[in-house]
Amino acid sequence: MDSYINIKVKVWRQAGPKAQGHFETYELNHIFQGASFLEMMDILNEQLIAEHKDPIAFDHDCREGICGMCSMYVNGHPHGPDSAITTCQLHMRKFKDGETITVEPWRSRAFPVIKDLMVDRGAYDKIMQAGGFVSVNTGGVPDANAIAIPKPVADEAMDAASCIGCGACAAACKNGSAMLFVAAKVSQLALLPQGKIEAAKRAKAMIAKMDELGFGNCTNTGACAAECPKSVSLANIARLNREFICAKFKD
Amino acid sequence: MATTKTETAKVITPEMAKIPQGPLEKKWTNYKDHQKLVNPANKRRLDIIVVGTGLAGASAAATLAELGFNVLNFCIQDSPRRAHSIAAQGGINAAKNYQNDGDSIYRLFYDTIKGGDYRAREANVYRLAEVSNNIIDQCVAQGVPFAREYGGLLDNRSFGGAQVSRTFYAKGQTGQQLLLGAYSALSRQIGKGKVKMYNRHEMLDVVLIKDADGVERARGIIARNLVTGRIERYFGHAVVIASGGYGNTFFLSTNAMASNGSAAMQIYRKGAYFANPCYAQIHPTCIPKHGDFQSKLTLMSESLRNDGRIWVPKKLEDAQKLQRGEIKGRDIPEEDRDYYLERRYPAFGNLVPRDVASRAAKERCDKGYGVNNTGLAVFLDFSDAIQRLGKDVVAQKYGNLFQMYEKIVDENPYENPMMIFPAIHYTMGGIWVDYELQTSIKGLFCIGEANFSDHGANRLGASALMQGLADGYFVIPYTIQNYLSDQIGVPRMSTDLPEFAAAEKGVQDKIDRLMAIQGKRSVDSIHKELGLVMWDFVGMGRTAESLKTAIEKIDAIKKEFWTNVYIPGEADGLNNELEKALRLSDFIEIGRLMAVDALNREESCGGHFREEYQTEEGEALRQDDKFSYVACWKYTGEDSEPELIKEPLDYEFTERKTRNYKA
């Protein structure tokens, strides 16, 4: 059963992109374990506001694990110690009375800190702009049932497509690689007949952009998939590599 | 009071709403055949501002850019992919009739009109049903991985308010997949330089400029860069608002934390009519509230009602034991369970529309049959489905929803029935638009949930995604050209014009005023207070008395906010509390407008339930002779009541009936 706990929260505070950051520890008493982690952060911020101190800036929006906005490194794990969830789906029942919880922003060269726990993930958008699409305009497309797609293929594409673009993969990776993010999109579209046509071009363009933006190389440590809130599989990276090598052979 | 003005109200005619002539099924074709277009060379010279990147905003921005217009697209999140459309779970409707179960464009139109309790415009709804099929084709072409049958063709499921299976879905993440489809199309245009994207920017006002004939036209917006705090000016030949709904007026809702109604209120204050603000949808299947610290309510998809059965105990003593935590749902034998939806509505059973299901849950809980410690929950039970289909099939269909439930509630829904309760989910009301989706201000358009147009007094499940994408992909790209065709000679205007300066000053003054209050209350504490007033007095059951109380209380909250709110930090940098305060200042106004509209509408229809107007069986009782109109509210000033303008709804093609989901 959920009960009430007293905790300490050790939070990364950084006034701006160029400012020197530091940890600050706050005490919070009587936190209900049924509260979500972000609700605990709300309570902390209310406390800070009451003391006329600067509340902690953090990204969050849907609070149901799908928008990909929340992005906290909790006790050494992107999105915290539970599996297959985002920070907003983490609940205080995962923590013990008296515990000190460490909260940091994503730490990755390609995601500079904006303030406190808020980072700039614009690099993911730029990778998408480089090729994460099927080149069709609105209108003039065939009937939706004109091309049959085997159910297992559609299901596999769906699993890859479930990526929420939160950045946990790159944040978890010791090399700061965005391979799982890129692989998820390349796989989804390469699996489907609609996306197959541009598969090689897409893989090359997205990888080139990823490299250009300062993401690291993939050394298959698997940390990305282990921390992915949507359990996007490493098999996608293998598929991306295949698409990429095929594309290079064709050159 | 607003009600006294109804006698002399002005009227909007079908001509003013630009409803095309001709039979229902020919109207949209006739419109497209005769509308004015802009040639490719001229498109390049025209700038369009799109505010919002949800299904409506992203699809509009992408499509307008594909056509050749220059698009400036704004969103408050760090990426356009995060707009709240992403959270839609269940599906999207279309009249494909792939299941051969009797569906058609007319039937989708009819179900939507009936589901909306005969308070939507026939011509708009028919067009929506008509373009629904194009949406599915478009999404498949983009690589949206819809669920498929083993034969490789698209699968469908059933949703409330329909007797056919017309809902396309992608697991429980349909909104996400459709939004990512639109986002990929948008990304492609950003990459090509046809869309200039402004992330973490919030619109704070619209800029109107009079042309040579003295006609006021929307020519730009004032936006705040949420990172730097800088107030910026942007010009557009036309402005499209796609900023979503205002459900967060209630503080607790299924909306995302930053979802807000401020863009709508900004344009309302500049003269755009606000239509049917009282029509808000309470979704029946949400995870119940668990504490005062709660920040939002989580929706469990309506698709669960395909296989889940809703019940409460038959015996009051069983309910009381559940409330005290002495027994669990599974301990109650079959014969002691009251499947009240199946009992009351045999024809539609658990798949009645949302408003009906929500009120039925409230009725049972009000009578004391609630099943959790607060007495505000009913069961949604899958034990029958698990027996019939096996756990694996149920897991395949609803696995991610079950997982979500378990993470939040810490209880396994495969073993014990889920507990659910209604919560605010969607707002059917919104900015008034004509058939072209143009507001009452020239050059200012409004699409998606932000407008009022298609759902009447109640939206059917899986129709929000349909409307957002219909507006963005297939309607506005046509209708905006009819407006822009005579704007091709208008050069890009300087943002140094006095109208821009004045709008920016208005925004700056408001921010300065807020920052100067330095009171004692946090923004959230006041917002929660507003939310409670809304839920208690403008919620699922409304009376003249409750609404008058609400207006008094909201006026007091407004005073408290403007004299006692505390915003820490500075305005010229990142300041979340300032962002929230600006949005709350508008929620307070919207809440009041909702109450005023609800008080005026002396009938029950769809999501608007006035307890004085119900049948003996507790069903909504419309007053077609008095209230068959769209209530359009016109802003008249900070301290005066809004003026009511009516758009009568004449049903030319459908016979208005009392909604019946019993037989």
Side-chain angles (χ1 to χ4, degrees):
Chain A
M1 273 304 273
D2 292 332
S3 60
Y4 290 85
I5 54 173
N6 299 332
I7 49 166
K8 285 184 183 145
V9 196
K10 192 176 150 194
V11 184
W12 183 259
R13 302 302 309 260
Q14 185 175 334
K18 300 221 169 77
Q20 183 82 36
H22 66 283
F23 279 107
E24 198 131 344
T25 303
Y26 306 96
E27 285 191 28
L28 273 177
N29 294 327
H30 204 61
I31 297 295
F32 185 58
Q33 287 181 303
S36 73
F37 194 82
L38 295 188
E39 283 165 350
M40 179 276 289
M41 293 296 293
D42 292 341
I43 294 169
L44 174 54
N45 270 346
E46 286 290 297
Q47 197 171 297
L48 292 173
I49 292 164
E51 294 164 5
H52 283 210
K53 290 180 183 155
D54 191 25
I56 300 156
F58 62 93
D59 270 325
H60 64 100
D61 202 13
C62 79
R63 297 209 176 187
E64 48 188 271
I66 196 74
C67 74
M69 191 101 175
C70 62
S71 44
M72 290 182 194
Y73 221 87
V74 183
N75 285 351
H77 293 274
H79 298 304
D82 200 357
S83 61
I85 52 155
T86 55
T87 311
C88 66
Q89 293 174 297
L90 180 64
H91 277 71
M92 294 312 293
R93 63 179 72 96
K94 294 287 165 192
F95 302 94
K96 294 188 204 70
D97 190 40
E99 192 171 341
T100 299
I101 305 167
T102 308
V103 191
E104 300 164 81
W106 279 178
R107 295 214 184 273
S108 191
R109 192 156 46 127
F111 297 152
V113 171
I114 294 172
K115 188 184 176 189
D116 299 335
L117 304 173
M118 196 180 262
V119 299
D120 180 356
R121 286 168 288 189
Y124 270 14
D125 282 335
K126 292 199 178 82
I127 294 174
M128 280 291 291
Q129 289 153 20
F133 46 77
V134 176
S135 299
V136 289
N137 286 350
T138 302
V141 298
D143 184 88
N145 258 346
I147 307 172
I149 301 172
K151 180 173 161 53
V153 173
D155 288 349
E156 215 179 338
M158 177 63 223
D159 287 343
S162 62
C163 167
I164 56 174
C166 65
C169 46
C173 178
K174 67 184 173 74
N175 307 320
S177 169
M179 276 294 266
L180 193 64
F181 169 75
V182 175
K185 187 49 70 182
V186 166
S187 285
Q188 174 207 339
L189 296 178
L191 280 161
L192 299 170
Q194 291 82 5
K196 186 103 197 133
I197 299 154
E198 298 170 279
K201 186 177 154 216
R202 178 181 306 116
K204 276 200 308 187
M206 291 179 80
I207 285 181
K209 184 53 89 176
M210 175 180 84
D211 292 343
E212 180 196 317
L213 292 169
F215 289 100
N217 291 319
C218 174
T219 52
N220 288 311
T221 63
C224 51
E227 299 288 7
C228 173
K230 296 293 148 185
S231 308
V232 171
S233 154
L234 275 183
N236 291 300
I237 294 187
R239 190 175 295 108
L240 170 63
N241 285 332
R242 274 202 303 280
E243 291 296 338
F244 187 69
I245 291 164
C246 287
K248 285 288 175 193
F249 270 127
K250 280 178 198 157
D251 283 349
Chain B
M1 218 36 259
T3 43
T4 57
K5 293 191 179 172
T6 58
E7 324 300 323
T8 55
K10 286 185 207 157
V11 163
I12 296 171
T13 62
E15 292 71 36
M16 289 156 80
K18 302 193 198 129
I19 311 291
Q21 295 293 320
L24 193 57
E25 66 279 8
K26 290 272 164 40
K27 284 181 188 292
W28 181 228
T29 307
N30 282 348
Y31 177 87
K32 288 189 290 182
D33 285 349
H34 299 106
Q35 73 161 109
K36 291 179 283 182
L37 296 172
V38 180
N39 87 13
N42 285 327
K43 283 185 185 126
R44 287 196 289 273
R45 297 164 44 178
L46 295 170
D47 298 344
I48 301 174
I49 287 173
V50 179
V51 179
T53 59
L55 286 174
S59 60
T63 306
L64 291 167
E66 287 163 9
L67 287 170
F69 295 104
N70 298 303
V71 177
L72 293 80
N73 196 188
F74 294 80
C75 75
I76 55 176
Q77 292 88 354
D78 73 329
S79 161
R81 67 180 291 152
R82 309 206 197 281
H84 194 53
S85 303
I86 200 129
Q89 298 169 358
I92 177 165
N93 288 328
K96 284 284 195 185
N97 193 30
Y98 283 160
Q99 305 303 322
N100 195 32
D101 57 359
D103 204 4
S104 64
I105 288 169
Y106 182 83
R107 198 172 282 274
L108 174 54
F109 153 78
Y110 178 79
D111 287 347
T112 308
I113 284 281
K114 177 186 170 193
D117 219 351
Y118 303 93
R119 289 293 176 265
R121 247 189 228 147
E122 284 181 309
N124 284 54
V125 177
Y126 195 89
R127 175 177 65 189
L128 174 69
E130 213 175 330
V131 301
S132 69
N133 292 339
N134 302 91
I135 297 170
I136 305 303
D137 299 342
Q138 189 63 36
C139 294
V140 167
Q142 289 169 345
V144 170
F146 282 122
R148 287 175 184 269
E149 306 266 17
Y150 279 99
L153 301 181
L154 292 162
D155 191 18
N156 290 117
R157 53 168 56 147
S158 309
F159 256 61
Q163 288 173 314
V164 295
S165 286
R166 61 160 74 100
T167 306
F168 295 79
Y169 66 100
K171 274 200 174 167
Q173 291 143 259
T174 317
Q176 181 201 24
Q177 293 310 314
L178 297 178
L179 185 64
L180 293 183
Y183 163 74
S184 69
L186 175 63
S187 295
R188 180 169 162 247
Q189 296 305 316
I190 296 171
K192 287 182 166 184
K194 285 305 290 179
V195 175
K196 180 94 178 75
M197 188 68 226
Y198 297 89
N199 299 337
R200 293 198 199 265
H201 273 68
E202 183 155 11
M203 171 177 170
L204 292 181
D205 209 354
V206 64
V207 179
L208 307 183
I209 297 181
K210 275 190 184 145
D211 65 13
D213 301 324
V215 179
E216 238 172 12
R217 296 176 190 270
R219 291 299 190 198
I221 65 166
I222 304 296
R224 182 167 178 270
N225 179 325
L226 299 180
V227 175
T228 63
R230 213 171 29 236
I231 312 291
E232 299 167 358
R233 307 172 184 185
Y234 296 93
F235 165 81
H237 288 89
V239 176
V240 181
I241 303 296
S243 55
Y246 49 90
N248 270 347
T249 309
F250 286 70
F251 187 75
L252 285 182
S253 82
T254 65
N255 289 2
M257 301 302 289
S259 297
N260 68 80
S262 288
M265 287 315 272
Q266 289 151 21
I267 65 174
Y268 165 70
R269 282 191 290 267
K270 287 286 173 84
Y273 304 153
F274 205 121
N276 301 330
C278 79
Y279 293 161
Q281 177 162 81
I282 316 253
H283 195 293
T285 56
C286 301
I287 298 178
K289 185 181 166 179
H290 56 258
D292 292 336
F293 51 82
Q294 187 136 7
S295 56
K296 77 157 278 169
L297 295 165
T298 303
L299 172 82
M300 301 306 292
S301 167
E302 176 159 318
S303 63
L304 293 168
R305 288 199 272 144
N306 268 286
D307 290 304
R309 298 176 70 195
I310 293 176
W311 64 275
V312 294
K314 271 185 192 160
K315 296 180 190 158
L316 211 47
E317 64 257 35
D318 281 348
Q320 286 157 355
K321 279 185 200 160
L322 286 164
Q323 288 159 15
R324 291 194 297 265
E326 292 164 10
I327 55 168
K328 295 232 171 208
R330 60 176 176 228
D331 301 329
I332 295 172
E334 188 61 31
E335 63 271 19
D336 290 337
R337 299 177 176 193
D338 174 16
Y339 296 94
Y340 58 87
L341 288 177
E342 297 169 32
R343 169 169 59 80
R344 287 178 66 177
Y345 308 101
F348 281 70
N350 292 295
L351 282 173
V352 290
R354 291 173 175 178
D355 55 333
V356 177
S358 290
R359 275 198 296 279
K362 180 180 189 288
E363 189 272 337
R364 285 291 82 191
C365 292
D366 284 351
K367 294 250 162 72
Y369 291 92
V371 299
N372 69 351
N373 58 346
T374 60
L376 297 174
V378 299
F379 285 129
L380 175 61
D381 196 337
F382 283 82
S383 50
D384 265 11
I386 290 170
Q387 266 182 13
R388 179 163 46 90
L389 306 164
K391 193 178 162 186
D392 288 350
V393 175
V394 171
Q396 206 187 0
K397 276 176 138 169
Y398 309 112
N400 63 328
L401 299 170
F402 278 41
Q403 183 231 16
M404 187 159 91
Y405 181 86
E406 192 173 355
K407 292 281 184 196
I408 294 172
V409 184
D410 202 25
E411 199 164 72
N412 183 343
Y414 293 100
E415 287 166 11
N416 208 37
M418 284 184 188
M419 284 185 282
I420 53 160
F421 197 66
I424 283 283
H425 179 55
Y426 184 91
T427 48
M428 284 75 67
I431 294 299
W432 181 87
V433 288
D434 60 22
Y435 188 75
E436 295 182 319
L437 307 182
Q438 187 165 210
T439 69
S440 42
I441 296 171
K442 291 260 181 279
L444 183 61
F445 295 77
C446 189
I447 60 177
E449 187 180 350
N451 76 26
F452 89 106
S453 76
D454 294 354
H455 306 295
N458 173 56
R459 178 175 66 73
L460 290 181
S463 284
L465 305 188
M466 172 172 68
Q467 186 224 337
L469 290 181
D471 286 1
Y473 283 135
F474 296 108
V475 181
I476 194 97
Y478 284 87
T479 59
I480 203 168
Q481 293 192 52
N482 204 36
Y483 170 76
L484 287 172
S485 62
D486 60 10
Q487 299 294 308
I488 52 174
V490 177
R492 293 201 170 95
M493 295 176 186
S494 161
T495 54
D496 293 334
L497 287 171
E499 289 87 347
F500 277 94
E504 182 183 321
K505 184 172 183 303
V507 164
Q508 192 61 58
D509 288 351
K510 183 173 181 179
I511 290 173
D512 292 346
R513 208 178 135 202
L514 281 169
M515 295 303 295
I517 298 168
Q518 295 290 309
K520 292 196 168 55
R521 303 264 314 262
S522 72
V523 178
D524 277 1
S525 75
I526 300 174
H527 197 169
K528 284 182 183 181
E529 191 181 330
L530 173 69
L532 282 178
V533 168
M534 294 304 293
W535 184 252
D536 289 343
F537 301 100
V538 199
M540 266 192 283
R542 304 160 170 176
T543 64
E545 202 185 338
S546 81
L547 294 163
K548 284 176 192 159
T549 308
I551 292 169
E552 274 173 32
K553 285 180 182 287
I554 294 168
D555 286 342
I557 290 170
K558 180 176 176 179
K559 200 168 158 219
E560 172 75 359
F561 174 80
W562 282 102
T563 54
N564 201 22
V565 75
Y566 171 68
I567 303 166
E570 309 296 329
D572 59 352
L574 191 141
N575 190 334
N576 293 142
E577 293 300 308
L578 173 60
E579 293 165 26
K580 288 197 288 188
L582 284 163
R583 292 170 198 150
L584 177 56
S585 72
D586 290 319
F587 282 133
I588 294 170
E589 307 294 335
I590 297 174
R592 193 181 193 285
L593 197 56
M594 289 177 77
V596 165
D597 185 41
L599 187 59
N600 171 66
R601 189 165 285 279
E602 292 171 337
E603 64 164 350
S604 294
C605 58
H608 169 64
F609 194 73
R610 282 283 298 264
E611 288 173 6
E612 305 97 313
Y613 305 94
Q614 53 181 312
T615 65
E616 279 178 17
E617 293 159 309
E619 305 295 341
L621 194 62
R622 292 197 320 263
Q623 305 261 54
D624 288 339
D625 51 335
K626 290 190 196 136
F627 290 96
S628 184
Y629 63 79
V630 179
C632 309
W633 297 96
K634 187 181 175 201
Y635 184 72
T636 58
E638 175 76 28
D639 298 311
S640 54
E641 294 296 332
E643 180 189 352
L644 177 64
I645 296 169
K646 296 177 181 178
E647 183 193 338
L649 291 168
D650 293 321
Y651 278 79
E652 232 185 303
F653 305 96
T654 30
E655 187 196 344
R656 260 189 306 239
K657 292 180 188 161
T658 299
R659 284 196 305 169
N660 177 3
Y661 294 99
K662 293 172 193 292

